[in-house]
Amino acid sequence: MSRHLPHPTADTKAFWDGCAIGELRYQVCVHCGHVQFIPGSLCSACHQGDLAWKTSAGGGRILSHTTVHRAPTPAFRDEVPYVIALIDMDEGFRLMVNVKGGASPDVAIGQPVRIGFREVEGVKLPQAEVIS
Ligand SMILES: [Zn+2]
């Protein structure tokens, strides 16, 4: 069974194109400076449509995390247990990603991470790696 892999839209194509070449991209509003993630066509703060793409340096910290023990679909049966975390990126946006290393005991709130990428069925997905 295949996974639910991303289907890029007009708003998210630049993000997924970045992932494909190892870049984590986010948006900054040219009008008000708001940092935006998830990508969109309008700024979620001032509703202007002038958004610029930036590339993250990849550093952040774990805001929260959970360990998944029960596979949500049969496609994840061989991956449990694994950790999903909310990451506060240094540039001021937040994303939810898988954490490399399964149910690692090193995962903790406030733990610094670096975003890398892992390939799943030909698609590169962001993944956090704990920095010890
Ligand atoms: Zn704005």
Side-chain angles (χ1 to χ4, degrees):
M1 176 177 278
S2 67
R3 299 175 185 223
H4 298 285
L5 292 169
H7 297 280
T9 65
D11 290 342
T12 64
K13 184 178 185 313
F15 172 79
W16 292 113
D17 286 350
C19 289
I21 59 171
E23 291 184 358
L24 181 67
R25 295 177 179 170
Y26 63 101
Q27 293 178 309
V28 175
C29 177
V30 174
H31 187 72
C32 76
H34 177 69
V35 175
Q36 179 159 296
F37 189 89
I38 298 171
S41 57
L42 299 175
C43 171
S44 61
C46 74
H47 309 291
Q48 299 293 313
D50 202 3
L51 295 158
W53 287 96
K54 304 281 187 183
T55 299
S56 170
R61 289 184 180 272
I62 294 176
L63 171 70
S64 185
H65 61 91
T66 189
T67 302
V68 178
H69 293 276
R70 187 173 181 172
T73 73
F76 290 85
R77 190 173 23 221
D78 295 335
E79 295 218 15
V80 290
Y82 59 87
V83 175
I84 293 175
L86 278 175
I87 310 295
D88 275 339
M89 298 302 295
D90 293 343
E91 291 87 358
F93 66 98
R94 181 175 293 164
L95 76 160
M96 182 183 290
V97 290
N98 173 268
V99 179
K100 186 176 181 178
S104 167
D106 294 337
V107 175
I109 292 171
Q111 183 78 33
V113 298
R114 180 148 305 281
I115 301 299
F117 296 87
R118 68 175 188 147
E119 190 165 328
V120 177
E121 298 177 21
V123 179
K124 287 191 178 173
L125 302 174
Q127 181 181 49
E129 184 169 3
V130 171
I131 300 170
S132 48

